[in-house]
Amino acid sequence: MIHGNIGDIFSVDNRIAIPDPVYPVYLDSNVMAGRSGNYIEENGKYEKIEYLSCNKENNFIPDLPKTRVDIIYLCYPNNPTGTVLTKEQLKVWVDYANQNNSIILFDSAYEAYITQKDVPHSIYEIEGAKNVAIEFRSFSKTAGFTGIRCAYSVVPKELMGNSKNGEKVSIHNLWKRRGNTKFNGVSYITQRGAEATYSEEGKKETKKRIEYYLENAKLIKNGLKKAGYDVFGGENSPYIWLKTPKKLTSWQFFDLLLEKANIIGTPGSGFGTNGEGYFRLTGFGSKEKTINAIERICKIR
Ligand SMILES: *Cc1c(COP(=O)(O)O)cnc(C)c1O
């Protein structure tokens, strides 16, 4: 849960930019910390959060923040949309952060799913990123560790923050101090499991498993496309993000799938206002069940 804890080292006065839709932890942990302001607007958005809209219209590539922000959350390959940024597109954000004294919190939990050549596996492939970015890496999706949890963060020694009175502060030291105080570490048996993923056999097995999930994602994507659905992601990610048909809301589509096909997925609206009218499916299943599910979904229409 690094993503939920990193806020400990930053002031509650910091302005935060968060993509919409987004992995809910980023937003909720900031609301709990008190960075979201005093009220929720009519459209369900928090007063002080700068939302970065990602939708079909902008190809799920958010615009830069309209007003200056201190912290920017980015997640690529993205959960929930399954979309990616190329090196060139990610550089825009690194440059922004360098020019505006912002810090990027980059979540690369799905890095192992990247198949496209010009998509960076780490933000540090971008020049200047070491001065502005923290990267979160996790064994959860790379090696099926969601049940036992092991993850790590990269906080470059070059990365400096600003204290309220304008002094430079080492973010690396702050985060180390926070960890030493509040975190007892990952259990030894889990660490040995994580270590094993770097062995020759471990690398082979995890690679094979990821290819299997990616194949499922491809089956879902192609099957839905054939059936006339508008689908995104699924090529550098286990996630398929689809536009619900006939202007159904995310939950209306959820009910339809459940009632007509006995299938459940994740309503896009749970990931933010911009997720309304979208739906997330995943390749994290068996190939047999995936094929069967697609057949059933296609029969609905
Ligand atoms: C699953 C997931 C994680 C995993 O986090 P851990 O706490 O390391 O298990 C991180 N980020 C995103 C976007 C995820 O979907």
Side-chain angles (χ1 to χ4, degrees), residues 228-229 243-249 252-253 256 277 300-301:
Y229 281 88
K243 190 98 194 68
T244 58
K246 303 188 179 107
K247 297 218 161 76
L248 294 178
T249 66
Q252 283 169 336
F253 187 69
L256 181 80
I300 300 176
R301 299 195 92 194

Side-chain angles (χ1 to χ4, degrees), residues 14-263:
N14 279 345
R15 268 182 55 77
I16 313 284
I18 298 185
D20 174 10
V22 79
Y23 183 54
V25 175
Y26 311 153
L27 177 66
D28 295 350
S29 59
N30 277 292
V31 173
M32 289 176 196
R35 287 194 195 89
S36 51
N38 294 319
Y39 57 89
I40 302 177
E41 290 165 10
E42 268 173 34
N43 56 11
K45 296 189 165 182
Y46 288 93
E47 177 201 359
K48 274 183 66 185
I49 302 286
E50 171 95 18
Y51 292 87
L52 307 169
S53 290
C54 300
N55 46 46
K56 193 182 149 183
E57 286 66 38
N58 63 14
N59 268 321
F60 304 95
I61 300 162
D63 289 336
L64 291 169
K66 286 178 208 74
T67 56
R68 190 197 158 266
V69 295
D70 300 292
I71 294 171
I72 302 159
Y73 284 81
L74 293 177
C75 171
Y76 289 100
N78 189 260
N79 177 11
T81 67
T83 57
V84 291
L85 291 188
T86 62
K87 279 184 189 167
E88 206 177 319
Q89 288 163 337
L90 185 54
K91 184 168 186 303
V92 172
W93 290 89
V94 170
D95 290 348
Y96 172 92
N98 269 303
Q99 284 153 15
N100 289 279
N101 255 326
S102 314
I103 290 179
I104 297 174
L105 305 179
F106 190 77
D107 187 348
S108 63
Y110 297 92
E111 161 277 320
Y113 291 78
I114 293 171
T115 56
Q116 217 174 305
K117 271 235 158 63
D118 55 342
V119 174
H121 287 255
S122 161
I123 194 168
Y124 304 116
E125 290 176 40
I126 313 298
E127 204 192 323
K130 279 191 176 167
N131 296 314
V132 294
I134 291 175
E135 183 163 314
F136 304 132
R137 302 178 72 89
S138 173
F139 294 88
S140 281
K141 313 304 170 4
T142 308
F145 270 55
T146 43
I148 45 176
R149 311 314 274 253
C150 188
Y152 60 98
S153 47
V154 183
V155 187
K157 298 222 165 99
E158 293 91 326
L159 179 59
M160 291 291 172
N162 295 300
S163 72
K164 270 196 180 128
N165 52 20
E167 282 167 30
K168 291 283 171 203
V169 182
S170 161
I171 300 295
H172 181 95
N173 287 346
L174 269 188
W175 182 233
K176 189 159 88 180
R177 185 74 177 84
R178 189 268 173 208
N180 291 347
T181 307
K182 283 198 181 180
F183 184 48
N184 292 324
V186 171
S187 73
Y188 183 63
I189 192 168
T190 301
Q191 290 188 46
R192 289 305 295 260
E195 182 190 19
T197 68
Y198 295 108
S199 67
E200 279 315 308
E201 198 184 341
K203 276 194 244 177
K204 229 190 278 167
E205 285 177 8
T206 49
K207 185 164 175 276
K208 205 168 138 202
R209 178 52 52 176
I210 286 164
E211 281 166 2
Y212 183 90
Y213 291 145
L214 280 171
E215 179 63 25
N216 285 345
K218 194 190 269 177
L219 288 169
I220 298 171
K221 185 165 193 177
N222 291 343
L224 291 179
K225 255 192 181 165
K226 242 193 201 158
Y229 281 88
D230 223 353
V231 271
F232 311 93
E235 275 149 37
N236 301 284
S237 160
Y239 296 122
I240 282 86
W241 188 242
L242 62 100
K243 190 98 194 68
T244 58
K246 303 188 179 107
K247 297 218 161 76
L248 294 178
T249 66
S250 299
W251 278 107
Q252 283 169 336
F253 187 69
F254 176 91
D255 289 339
L256 181 80
L257 272 197
L258 179 60
E259 285 164 19
K260 296 270 158 65
N262 277 321
I263 288 167

